Amino acid sequence: MKVVNSSNHDKKDNPVVISLNDIKCDFKIKSAVVLKGNQEIASQLDDLNQDAKYDELAFVTDMAANSKESFTVLFSSEKSTKVYKARTFAEMMAYNGKGKLAYITSFSAKGDENVYSFTHHHGPAFESELVAYRVYFNEKQTIDPYGKFNKGLEINATKFYPTDEQLKAGYGDDVLRVNNSCGIGAFKGWDGSNATHIQPVIEREERIISSGPVRSIAQAKVIGWEYKGNEYNMINRYTLYAGHRDIVIDVIFDEKLGNVNFSSGVQKLKENSSMFSDHKGLVGSWGTDFPVNDTIKYAKETVGIGTFIPKQICGKEHADKENYLYEISAPGKSSLRYYTTFTSKKESFGFKDDKEWYDYLKIWKSELETPCTVEVKAL
């Protein structure tokens, strides 16, 4: 296979994804090896729809501007015990009634049940070396961030709630109080004036799809979302790659959409706040607030947020009480994709102020609009 970067940007940890539906193979794929020349690089096979068959192969690779790289991919019908270095991590946990936590892969409930606190950290949590997120298990489905001082994986140790000893040792923590906003680019409805939560629904499910060396994937699923006179079955899938701070958000419906509008964007921040928009699908905010209700133990945090809605699905720009937003629509389509990202000012590797952050967002959008191309040929 060949990967081509035709852009003028160097791309570090560029994601490369192959759909196995496009691979003509006379056996069930159970493992794979990716070679760059004679060097094996970390890769990952993922089963996206839980049918016990792998759907995608993914790896990341550095791509210089205006460059081309060749790779060889070997598929096998044999399982592999090989373990690559973890560069992402995801977990979901539930309380077992005895004061202990049990690791789970999914949790589902009737749509009118209040199960927000039945799962630890209120839903799935996932991270790269740079950032961590969780997705709330309720009608908000808010994406809430965890900021780090230093690069590394922390959630397995802190469970999103570091102890006093871990905080003293330099671990990160929750850095944003999202309230009723869209937080970090959560998918919302749109009533013409305000973003709306995903309710009522018949059933909710949240799940960890994968936790691997290349990427972690979580998803929130609803059955029977009553919205603007229709009922929708919908999956919001969140993919975080190694070396990345941004999430790829895929919104998948089980039927083609009509002329219906949704929304997403960034949360308004309270103190020393600012916002940026290019009025073409990119919106960002920067500011400071207490991350939790306990304002004695916890200090204020400063964060930057960004969301990019590609032009094919981007509609009018708005601001409501909580958010800076764009309308989203995809008539005739059953899926859509957009992107969101964030930074915490306490990062030793991050951004000092809103100008640096907004400059980064412009570059981020440009890179997303000029993806690498992948050509696959059977040997």
Side-chain angles (χ1 to χ4, degrees):
M1 59 179 294
K2 292 181 180 179
V3 180
V4 180
N5 180 11
S6 300
S7 77
N8 295 322
H9 299 288
D10 293 338
K11 294 179 181 285
K12 183 172 176 58
D13 289 319
N14 178 77
V16 179
V17 180
I18 300 173
S19 171
L20 300 189
N21 292 328
D22 299 332
I23 304 298
K24 294 181 180 179
C25 193
D26 58 2
F27 58 83
K28 184 178 181 179
I29 295 172
K30 295 184 179 179
S31 64
V33 172
V34 177
L35 301 172
K36 184 177 182 180
N38 295 321
Q39 180 183 1
E40 182 177 351
I41 62 176
S43 62
Q44 182 174 325
L45 289 165
D46 289 317
D47 173 14
L48 301 180
N49 59 1
Q50 297 86 57
D51 66 352
K53 297 178 183 178
Y54 290 124
D55 299 296
E56 290 183 348
L57 169 75
F59 62 94
V60 293
T61 184
D62 294 346
M63 295 292 299
N66 299 297
S67 69
K68 179 188 298 183
E69 298 286 356
S70 296
F71 301 86
T72 301
V73 182
L74 308 174
F75 294 106
S76 174
S77 61
E78 300 295 323
K79 291 183 178 180
S80 174
T81 58
K82 188 172 301 182
V83 178
Y84 299 110
K85 177 184 176 181
R87 297 188 61 197
T88 77
F89 175 75
E91 70 177 13
M92 194 170 180
M93 309 180 77
Y95 296 98
N96 69 357
K98 299 179 181 179
K100 294 183 179 181
L101 291 166
Y103 287 93
I104 60 175
T105 56
S106 67
F107 192 92
S108 61
K110 290 183 178 180
D112 57 358
E113 288 286 349
N114 183 9
V115 294
Y116 171 80
S117 296
F118 278 53
T119 55
H120 188 64
H121 41 62
H122 305 306
F126 50 101
E127 67 175 329
S128 69
E129 307 101 316
L130 282 69
V131 292
Y133 301 92
R134 59 180 169 180
V135 179
Y136 285 154
F137 196 136
N138 59 15
E139 70 280 359
K140 299 178 184 179
Q141 289 188 192
T142 316
I143 304 170
D144 186 43
Y146 173 111
K148 302 181 182 185
F149 288 98
N150 304 299
K151 292 183 180 180
L153 302 181
E154 301 185 4
I155 298 302
N156 189 40
T158 67
K159 308 302 181 196
F160 219 92
Y161 303 108
T163 63
D164 291 345
E165 291 74 19
Q166 287 173 327
L167 289 171
K168 290 178 182 178
Y171 282 86
D173 201 358
D174 186 357
V175 292
L176 182 63
R177 181 163 48 181
V178 297
N179 296 318
N180 284 312
S181 74
C182 69
I184 313 295
F187 190 75
K188 296 291 185 180
W190 176 249
D191 69 4
S193 301
N194 297 281
T196 61
H197 300 322
I198 299 172
Q199 63 179 358
V201 302
I202 296 172
E203 182 178 325
R204 298 185 191 278
E205 176 192 276
E206 296 200 355
R207 176 182 295 270
I208 296 293
I209 299 294
S210 67
S211 172
V214 173
R215 63 184 183 178
S216 282
I217 306 174
Q219 74 176 30
K221 179 180 179 179
V222 295
I223 300 296
W225 176 24
E226 295 181 18
Y227 181 66
K228 296 192 174 181
N230 293 302
E231 286 193 356
Y232 296 97
N233 300 331
M234 177 183 71
I235 290 173
N236 290 180
R237 184 171 293 156
Y238 314 94
T239 303
L240 178 61
Y241 285 92
H244 283 247
R245 63 172 67 249
D246 57 332
I247 307 173
V248 182
I249 301 178
D250 289 297
V251 185
I252 305 164
F253 297 88
D254 67 350
E255 59 184 24
K256 291 182 179 180
L257 295 169
N259 292 314
V260 60
N261 291 345
F262 308 96
S263 69
S264 188
V266 295
Q267 177 179 348
K268 291 181 178 178
L269 299 165
K270 289 193 174 181
E271 298 183 19
N272 305 313
S273 62
S274 65
M275 72 87 66
F276 164 80
S277 174
D278 70 354
H279 310 297
K280 297 178 181 179
L282 178 64
V283 63
S285 62
W286 176 278
T288 303
D289 192 10
F290 286 105
V292 294
N293 292 329
D294 185 348
T295 61
I296 303 300
K297 180 178 178 180
Y298 295 93
K300 292 180 179 180
E301 300 277 0
T302 299
V303 300
I305 311 170
T307 296
F308 168 51
I309 313 294
K311 62 182 179 180
Q312 296 87 345
I313 61 171
C314 186
K316 294 179 180 179
E317 188 173 3
H318 302 277
D320 66 11
K321 180 180 178 182
E322 301 273 357
N323 312 288
Y324 302 110
L325 301 161
Y326 282 98
E327 292 183 41
I328 296 174
S329 63
K333 305 291 185 181
S334 59
S335 65
L336 56 93
R337 172 176 288 183
Y338 68 100
Y339 309 86
T340 194
T341 188
F342 107 99
T343 185
S344 170
K345 190 178 179 181
K346 66 185 178 185
E347 295 169 355
S348 60
F349 50 88
F351 306 87
K352 296 192 298 290
D353 54 36
D354 57 352
K355 182 181 184 304
E356 283 193 4
W357 177 240
Y358 298 149
D359 286 345
Y360 166 78
L361 292 182
K362 297 171 192 175
I363 296 171
W364 173 61
K365 176 185 175 180
S366 178
E367 290 182 349
L368 290 171
E369 290 184 319
T370 53
C372 292
T373 57
V374 179
E375 179 183 348
V376 179
K377 291 185 178 179
L379 296 177

